[in-house]
Amino acid sequence: MAAATAPPPAAVATTLSGLMRCQNIRSSRPRAFYARCASSNASAEAAESRKGGHGGTRLEEAVPVGEGRSRVDAWISARLGGGGVSRARVQASIRAGLVAVNGRPVSKVSHTVKGGDLVSCTVSELQPLRAEAEDIPLDIVYEDDHVLVVNKPAHMVVHPAPGNAKGTLVNAILHHCKISTFTCLARSSAGDECPDSTDEDTDVFHVDQFAAEDVSSEVRNALVRPGIVHRLDKGTSGLLVVAKDEHSHARLAEQFKLHTIRRVYISLTCGAPNPNSGRIEASIARDPNNRIRMTAIAGSGHRYARNAASRYKVREVFAGGGSALVEWRLETGRTHQIRAHAKYIGIPLLGDETYGGTQSMALSLLRPRSPSKYHSGLSNLLSKVDRPCLHAASLG
């Protein structure tokens, strides 16, 4: 795979340039964020495609006596997750009235169950979501007969979802690959912001999810392409690889699962980490107080947490430690991993309101460390940051 570069995200580059001025760094051009696609010598055996059924799967089980209280969606997911049923799928089943506790249907995914409760669940059927090709410009940094690497802009959602079926990366790729329609599994609109997924839960769209008589041959062919192998949050810019055929999808999915894909991210942070390089090993779990946020937890005792490890290195410190350009390398691929780990060590990403990287926090760190002549412009500068300053810079 040939190397390639991509231009910096405008808002982030502007902020970076402003921070450099605050530190009295004279430069004729701001330091750019580079997105590149590097070759990889890693090899892996193709994985057998995962089946996409589970509709109609039933669970009827009592919560063990003595077990503490927990959310019904989390409790069911913990028992069915090993079979490939996602928490989002469980939540859809609850909303469809297919879950009951002690014989009474529940409608809230946050319903609490306790020891002795009898829980019954029937997994809802998946509803195919049809996406149409749209002529949306793509920044393609690499392409061959098998894969496509795209430099995704910030604010673009990767997958179509109910209520958000247009303007996504999939819509744009359909047009580029000259596929008129695409049928995938419906996702909740919140799923793009905080999906229950990791590198072990790669996106595979199988034709056997739908009966042969339900779809045309054209759509059946489109079910396996374009194959979105991994994801980036809506606000994250940078490189994302797309498989153009089923064989490539299986190969890439296995590499993500085995963590042999090399990924480098760069970010601007509120504050600077100390020490300036290190390894963070803190499990990731969904925040019980905010369903769109994850939380990093020390140790491995949390029931629903998944092991996560990130390495970071400071590239440059700005404004005497008020901010820093930090490089991240992932050993695992959990939902919001960098964002949660950055908050965990006290340096939330600049612009990441969800994880504490607010404008007020940035100002409180930058103003005391910047010359007074720049104070009036800091608020205006930071107001232009409308998403977490995180960019997927390298993929190989």
Side-chain angles (χ1 to χ4, degrees):
M1 189 181 296
T5 61
V12 177
T14 300
T15 305
L16 177 58
S17 177
L19 291 173
M20 292 172 72
R21 290 197 302 273
C22 289
Q23 199 181 15
N24 291 324
I25 296 176
R26 295 184 179 274
S27 175
S28 60
R29 66 180 66 177
R31 179 169 304 208
F33 281 178
Y34 292 103
R36 63 187 178 86
C37 181
S39 61
S40 172
N41 293 323
S43 62
E45 294 300 319
E48 180 181 358
S49 294
R50 195 175 48 178
K51 296 295 181 183
H54 311 303
T57 299
R58 285 191 54 80
L59 168 74
E60 187 163 341
E61 186 177 331
V63 179
V65 176
E67 186 171 303
R69 293 176 177 269
S70 60
R71 286 172 50 132
V72 66
D73 61 337
W75 192 86
I76 294 172
S77 180
R79 277 144 187 81
L80 296 180
V85 180
S86 70
R87 185 163 170 181
R89 186 81 173 274
V90 171
Q91 292 173 343
S93 304
I94 293 171
R95 295 187 181 103
L98 299 176
V99 173
V101 177
N102 298 323
R104 295 184 176 180
V106 297
S107 58
K108 292 184 177 180
V109 298
S110 59
H111 182 90
T112 300
V113 294
K114 60 184 184 302
D117 285 344
L118 179 63
V119 179
S120 60
C121 170
T122 301
V123 177
S124 62
E125 297 290 341
L126 287 168
Q127 298 300 315
L129 180 68
R130 191 178 181 92
E132 303 292 336
E134 292 183 68
D135 187 3
I136 301 171
L138 288 173
D139 182 4
I140 298 171
V141 298
Y142 178 82
E143 183 175 15
D144 59 25
D145 292 339
H146 309 288
V147 298
L148 175 71
V149 180
V150 178
N151 186 32
K152 184 187 86 69
H155 308 301
M156 175 179 271
V157 173
V158 174
H159 294 104
N164 189 33
K166 294 185 177 181
T168 73
L169 183 64
V170 164
N171 296 107
I173 292 173
L174 288 175
H175 180 271
H176 176 79
C177 294
K178 295 180 172 56
I179 303 171
S180 59
T181 57
F182 176 66
T183 304
C184 63
L185 305 186
R187 299 175 181 275
S188 66
S189 57
D192 283 295
E193 176 58 26
C194 193
D196 284 303
S197 64
T198 70
D199 283 349
E200 284 72 25
D201 302 320
T202 50
D203 293 323
V204 185
F205 305 111
H206 291 284
V207 295
D208 63 1
Q209 288 166 345
F210 310 102
E213 61 273 13
D214 291 339
V215 295
S216 67
S217 59
E218 177 189 13
V219 174
R220 286 175 61 79
N221 289 334
L223 281 167
V224 294
R225 64 182 192 274
I228 307 295
V229 187
H230 62 124
R231 302 171 189 149
L232 293 176
D233 291 337
K234 178 181 178 180
T236 302
S237 59
L239 298 181
L240 187 143
V241 63
V242 179
K244 296 171 75 173
D245 56 65
E246 193 168 11
H247 175 73
S248 300
H249 193 292
R251 291 280 184 172
L252 287 168
E254 184 70 3
Q255 289 184 54
F256 272 97
K257 185 175 182 178
L258 297 175
H259 309 302
T260 58
I261 296 286
R262 185 176 73 233
R263 287 175 289 176
V264 179
Y265 294 77
I266 49 179
S267 68
L268 286 173
T269 59
C270 293
N274 185 21
N276 63 7
S277 65
R279 182 176 183 270
I280 305 167
E281 186 168 8
S283 299
I284 301 289
R286 190 172 296 277
D287 189 327
N289 300 315
N290 186 336
R291 65 178 297 271
I292 69 168
R293 185 172 62 199
M294 308 301 286
T295 185
I297 303 167
S300 56
H302 192 279
R303 180 173 181 179
Y304 302 112
R306 307 184 77 168
N307 177 62
S310 308
R311 295 184 182 273
Y312 71 89
K313 179 174 69 176
V314 175
R315 286 192 182 182
E316 190 165 354
V317 174
F318 302 113
S323 183
L325 180 64
V326 180
E327 175 185 296
W328 301 84
R329 294 176 184 265
L330 301 182
E331 295 182 17
T332 55
R334 307 306 181 201
T335 301
H336 293 187
Q337 179 171 319
I338 292 174
R339 298 167 67 185
H341 275 176
K343 177 180 173 63
Y344 179 74
I345 62 173
I347 54 159
L349 305 188
L350 187 67
D352 195 350
E353 301 276 340
T354 302
Y355 288 89
T358 62
Q359 180 177 336
S360 60
M361 180 180 186
L363 285 171
S364 71
L365 292 168
L366 291 168
R367 275 181 172 157
R369 296 172 171 85
S370 303
S372 57
K373 64 180 179 179
Y374 294 119
H375 287 187
S376 61
L378 272 174
S379 294
N380 181 55
L381 176 72
L382 293 172
S383 68
K384 297 176 181 178
V385 180
D386 57 358
R387 54 98 170 191
C389 290
L390 180 63
H391 182 69
S394 176
L395 180 68

